[in-house]
């Protein structure tokens, strides 16, 4: 009976730290130019809650007694006079910030507030996600990373959502090493991983695409297994794709076999890649045949294949004339049936559909949306 590998906490952290300065082998520079537009993020809007945050900002500014400048000056005076900062005052301040200078004041107030209330955490409002949403809106990921690592603020960012939003923010900009640093800090602070954290962690490792990142991904997966946690399908898909990129086909197949309900477009393409890289070419042709010639009822959802993945499959079969002829025939049928997508596997992995919920969002003075990179006057209302 095989022995289950159980990496120690120290070894896991060492594996993570070894990735802070890797030779990146992924496609980081193209992250924001995917054919799905600018939607290269991993968290849904109901997690980031940027729209809700912006809506609240407008409401608070509208109901503020006096001007914003008067309110900020009042808080500056309280800092100077060493007066107690109230929870509602900090909450209001974070919703009034519109510039880097405003955020600098907010940071000073956060330090004072945390120093005064660090021992009164039970049932307290969590400001971490609120601050991260502010940084998300204003493109201040570096300020967010600085605060989340600051030992003087240990406990202020005690929730997984704060770390997840920051990692998502860094992922969007292709700053995968920085995102990994946030993941390391999350483990150092013993903040419990959520399902979203595993998706982000595996996506970061996938983007780094190195032997070290593969080891880290494997260690995190083993740790989750030991804890009895069920990994999200998206996280496992990133792990499979990373294993394939590292030519660890057996590991990719093992991870894929553990995915529950592998019927979506990403799993369809990963499954095809696993068989192609395993040189199981007859099986590859059978998979394509079943997809192209199987039940074509309009009531049955058709399997879709990436043009990029099909091109790689063709490279595998091109030296076997009989298989090549069969592949080209099936390729034509798939096209006719509308079962070929131009999106690359990478684009499919890093794309997540918009929430089905309909929200009305009020615009602010910012010129571009953090979610679509479109002018806010158009994108916020359209979303």
């Amino acid at each position: 009976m095989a022995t289950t590998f159980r990496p120690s906490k120290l070894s896991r952290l060492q594996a993570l730290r070894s990735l802070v300065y890797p030779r990146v082998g992924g496609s980081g520079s193209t992250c924001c130019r995917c054919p799905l537009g600018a939607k290269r993020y991993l968290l849904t809007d109901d997690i980031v809650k940027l729209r809700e945050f912006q809506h609240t900002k407008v409401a608070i500014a509208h109901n503020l007694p006096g001007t914003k400048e008067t309110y900020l000056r009042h808080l500056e005076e309280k800092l100077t006079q060493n007066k107690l900062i109230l929870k509602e005052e900090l909450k209001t301040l974070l919703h009034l910030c519109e510039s880097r200078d405003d955020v600098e004041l907010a940071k000073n107030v956060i330090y004072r507030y945390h120093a005064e209330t660090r021992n009164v955490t039970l049932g307290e409002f969590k400001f971490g996600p609120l601050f991260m949403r502010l940084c998300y809106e204003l493109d201040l990921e570096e300020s967010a990373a600085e605060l989340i690592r600051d030992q003087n603020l240990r406990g202020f960012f005690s929730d997984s959502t704060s770390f997840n939003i920051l990692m998502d923010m860094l992922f969007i900009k292709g700053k995968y090493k920085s995102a990994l640093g946030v993941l390391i800090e999350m483990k150092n602070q013993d903040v419990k991983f959520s399902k979203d954290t595993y998706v982000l962690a595996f996506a970061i490792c996938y983007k780094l695409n190195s032997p070290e990142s593969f080891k880290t991904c494997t260690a995190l997966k083993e740790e989750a297994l030991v804890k009895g946690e069920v990994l999200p399908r998206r996280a496992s898909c990133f792990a499979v794709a990373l294993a394939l990129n590292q030519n660890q086909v057996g590991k990719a197949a093992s991870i894929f076999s553990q995915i529950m309900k592998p019927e979506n477009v990403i799993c369809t393409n990963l499954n095809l890649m696993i068989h192609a890289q395993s040189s199981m070419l007859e099986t590859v042709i059978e998979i394509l045949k079943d997809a192209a010639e199987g039940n074509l009822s309009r009531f049955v959802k058709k399997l879709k294949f990436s043009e990029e993945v099909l091109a790689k499959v063709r490279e595998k079969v091109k030296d076997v004339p009989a298989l090549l002829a069969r592949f080209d025939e099936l390729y034509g049928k798939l096209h006719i049936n509308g079962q070929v997508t131009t999106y690359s596997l990478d684009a499919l992995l890093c794309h997540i559909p918009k929430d089905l919920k309909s929200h009305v969002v009020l615009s602010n003075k910012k010129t571009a949306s953090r979610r679509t990179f479109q002018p806010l006057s158009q994108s916020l209302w359209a979303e």
Side-chain angles (χ1 to χ4, degrees), residues 10-281:
L10 179 60
S11 67
R12 291 193 302 271
L13 289 175
Q14 287 172 337
L16 286 169
R17 290 192 184 99
S18 71
L19 282 170
V20 175
Y21 301 103
R23 288 183 295 179
V24 178
S27 54
S29 62
T30 62
C31 180
C32 292
R33 294 194 289 272
C34 113
L36 297 175
K39 290 188 167 297
R40 296 302 298 276
Y41 57 91
L42 299 176
L43 298 182
T44 55
D45 286 332
D46 64 327
I47 300 295
V48 179
K49 295 185 178 178
L50 186 62
R51 307 176 199 185
E52 180 182 318
F53 173 71
Q54 292 176 323
H55 184 97
T56 305
K57 284 188 75 168
V58 174
I60 286 178
H62 178 74
N63 294 317
L64 189 70
T67 65
K68 167 191 165 183
E69 290 68 27
T70 301
Y71 189 86
L72 298 187
R73 189 161 54 249
H74 165 69
L75 283 179
E76 287 175 339
E77 290 173 356
K78 292 193 77 170
L79 288 175
T80 303
Q81 298 168 12
N82 203 26
K83 291 184 178 180
L84 184 69
I85 302 295
L86 303 178
K87 177 176 71 176
E88 290 303 319
E89 289 178 324
L90 176 54
K91 191 184 296 186
T92 299
L93 172 61
L94 292 177
H95 283 98
L96 290 177
C97 289
E98 297 178 299
S99 67
R100 289 177 180 268
D101 289 340
D102 293 344
V103 174
E104 284 303 310
L105 172 60
K107 286 161 65 175
N108 292 332
V109 173
I110 284 172
Y111 278 108
R112 172 66 61 78
Y113 178 84
H114 184 63
E116 293 168 345
T117 63
R118 68 172 70 229
N119 296 321
V120 189
T121 57
L122 187 62
E124 280 295 297
F125 178 83
K126 292 187 182 299
F127 280 100
L130 191 59
F131 180 75
M132 289 301 165
R133 289 174 186 120
L134 173 62
C135 291
Y136 202 115
E137 181 191 40
L138 298 179
D139 288 315
L140 296 176
E141 69 279 355
E142 297 303 330
S143 290
E146 175 190 341
L147 258 65
I148 214 166
R149 291 193 300 262
D150 196 321
Q151 297 299 305
N152 293 318
L153 288 177
R154 287 293 286 262
F156 187 82
F157 301 100
S158 59
D159 56 286
S160 63
T161 301
S162 295
F163 288 88
N164 291 345
I165 292 175
L166 178 53
M167 284 190 284
D168 187 60
M169 201 187 321
L170 292 165
F171 186 91
I172 288 173
K173 297 191 174 184
K175 298 181 178 180
Y176 307 122
K177 288 190 289 185
S178 296
L180 184 70
V182 173
L183 182 68
I184 293 171
E185 187 61 35
M186 189 175 181
K187 289 191 71 67
N188 285 339
Q189 294 189 28
D190 291 321
V191 177
K192 181 177 172 57
F193 280 21
S194 68
K195 291 185 182 299
D196 290 314
T197 307
Y198 282 109
V199 172
L200 287 155
F202 288 11
I204 291 164
C205 290
Y206 159 77
K207 277 297 187 179
L208 289 172
N209 190 25
S210 66
E212 292 81 8
S213 71
F214 178 66
K215 290 177 184 177
T216 297
C217 183
T218 301
L220 290 173
K221 185 178 180 300
E222 293 289 349
E223 180 183 352
L225 180 64
V226 169
K227 291 180 178 179
E229 297 178 5
V230 178
L231 292 175
R233 181 171 62 180
R234 282 197 86 205
S236 295
C237 286
F238 276 115
V240 172
L242 173 57
L244 288 173
N245 286 347
Q246 291 296 307
N247 293 316
Q248 299 287 337
V249 186
K251 189 67 176 179
S254 175
I255 298 170
F256 187 85
S257 69
Q258 299 167 29
I259 296 178
M260 303 291 289
K261 299 181 179 179
E263 291 88 20
N264 68 354
V265 64
I266 298 173
C267 290
T268 296
N269 284 273
L270 288 174
N271 184 44
L272 195 66
M273 284 294 296
I274 289 170
H275 285 87
Q277 286 188 218
S278 301
S279 296
M280 300 172 66
L281 303 183

